[in-house]
Amino acid sequence: MSLGLTNQISIKYIFVIVFFLNACANKNECQCLEGDEDLIIQKYSAKKENVQICYVNQGTFGRVIDLKICDKNSNLLIEKITLRGEDYRPTIDSIINSTVYVHYSYPRNEMENKIEILKFEDVVLGDALLDKKKLKYKYVFHNRKQK
């Protein structure tokens, strides 16, 4: 009998350890690379979320942008998407409910208006592009013409 009880206690301890390690891993993912402040493009704070936009060096392939949304209270990662960032950087404009508004400033002569909508598929890379139905937030991308 005591062997069964020992196994149950061991399993509970293992579960607690795995849960703790997973929580710590998610918390660490909310940070850009520490000590490299030049890799942080923007920090944005909304009502419930903290957002960081970070450069990620892809070696030969150049740089991409990680947009990380974290819970403001627990600092746990809620969602991370990868964006294009070769030449121009995105900027968070606002978060309203579960919609994130982001803009780029691509120079385009043919822009009649000062703002144009960018397609999700033209900006997002990686897993978020493959299955955007799994995303917790809706992303709206604009291009703002430089003055």
Side-chain angles (χ1 to χ4, degrees), residues 3-145:
L3 184 61
L5 183 60
T6 305
N7 285 338
Q8 287 178 353
I9 293 172
S10 297
I11 290 171
K12 287 180 184 177
Y13 283 124
I14 290 171
F15 178 73
V16 168
I17 290 169
V18 168
F19 177 77
F20 178 74
L21 291 175
N22 187 38
C24 290
N26 284 344
K27 193 169 188 173
N28 288 337
E29 285 189 32
C30 284
Q31 304 299 320
C32 292
L33 297 176
E34 292 182 22
D36 292 331
E37 285 293 324
D38 59 326
L39 294 178
I40 298 172
I41 297 171
Q42 182 185 14
K43 290 182 179 182
Y44 181 87
S45 184
K47 287 182 182 178
K48 299 178 185 175
E49 307 92 354
N50 284 325
V51 182
Q52 284 191 350
I53 298 180
C54 316
Y55 266 131
V56 177
N57 193 350
Q58 297 288 306
T60 309
F61 301 106
R63 289 182 166 182
V64 295
I65 305 293
D66 275 351
L67 187 152
K68 299 177 181 185
I69 301 176
C70 301
D71 180 84
K72 197 171 202 171
N73 295 323
S74 67
N75 201 33
L76 293 177
L77 183 67
I78 299 171
E79 186 163 272
K80 179 176 90 170
I81 64 169
T82 302
L83 305 173
R84 296 190 181 278
E86 301 90 17
D87 298 319
Y88 297 95
R89 302 183 292 196
T91 302
I92 300 277
D93 291 324
S94 62
I95 299 176
I96 300 173
N97 298 324
S98 63
T99 303
V100 180
Y101 294 91
V102 180
H103 82 269
Y104 282 83
S105 294
Y106 293 119
R108 294 188 187 184
N109 291 332
E110 67 273 2
M111 282 180 64
E112 292 179 20
N113 300 325
K114 293 186 181 210
I115 298 176
E116 76 176 317
I117 296 173
L118 298 171
K119 292 181 187 174
F120 183 86
E121 296 78 15
D122 291 343
V123 179
V124 177
L125 303 170
D127 293 339
L129 181 60
L130 298 175
D131 193 4
K132 69 180 181 181
K133 291 179 183 177
K134 289 184 179 180
L135 296 175
K136 296 175 184 171
Y137 290 84
K138 177 184 176 194
Y139 297 88
V140 177
F141 299 98
H142 292 100
N143 186 35
R144 291 186 183 170
K145 187 174 185 178

